Amino acid sequence: MDAQKYPFAIRLIGFDAEDSAHIGGLLELAPAAGPSYFCLLDESLQEPDFYIANGEDLKSLARLAALNPGPLQPALLVGVAPVELPFPRMARPFAAAQLYRLLAELVDERADAMAGITARGLPSVPERRRRERLDFDLTDPGEYEKMRRAPPTGAVLIVDRGCALRDHVVQLLSPRKLSIEWTDSAPMAVRLCDETPVSLVLINTSTPGIDPYALCGAIKALAGATRIAVVLLVGGSFAFDSARARSAGIRGVLDKPVADRHLSAALKKLLSLPT
């Protein structure tokens, strides 16, 4: 799957809906001869390749600093920042040519950094902490012990129109010897979750006849299903509804097309597997 030309995933930080839509539209129109890009949904579990942040907003800059962008996940600021930061900047109003040029430069810098890290046998992107590290942590250690849970041990269930994705996930996770199941039927998916141990359900939203929100709700209504993680694979044509997703109990989404490195990293994290 990595042989295909995958677009670079971009996380937008601190923009309102109008600016986000405008930047997303510019990225979709990137010259075909160069790199292509797309914006991650807010609920996406995928690690971004780049960050584009609102440089005029202090909260956005604080969030960006907490994410610790680096050579493998570089950042681009938009607007005049109130503080000096070591990131390239793009002035307002948004200029398509400037955006494409700056991102192309970051692509080249990222490729050089990736090559160097790969040559040294180091991990490409460090795993994000689930909670922020406290400078002075006075929490009773017993509280952290209470939060610890045993890793999930059930199967991965893939809901899709065909079994090609299932076969591909088997290859990605082959050393782990996990059970990877497949169905194209919502009732069968609920039945499998009810009768067999399942840790993760991956629903391709383009599967005919499947309402992903209703399916997730039915799975979550089962006894003992609270720890089943339900994740959606969504494409650009799917109108993702954040409110319905939260109500149904969906853990998050992965944006299609998803490169193998992102799919593998997300699956390992959801299944608490070592990278």
Side-chain angles (χ1 to χ4, degrees), residues 115-127:
I117 287 178
T118 302
R120 285 179 285 168
L122 300 175
S124 58
V125 178
E127 183 177 346

Side-chain angles (χ1 to χ4, degrees), residues 71-93:
L72 296 181
Q73 290 177 301
L76 170 64
L77 299 183
V78 174
V80 179
V83 294
E84 281 295 325
L85 293 172
F87 306 121
R89 302 184 183 189
M90 185 177 75
R92 291 178 182 267

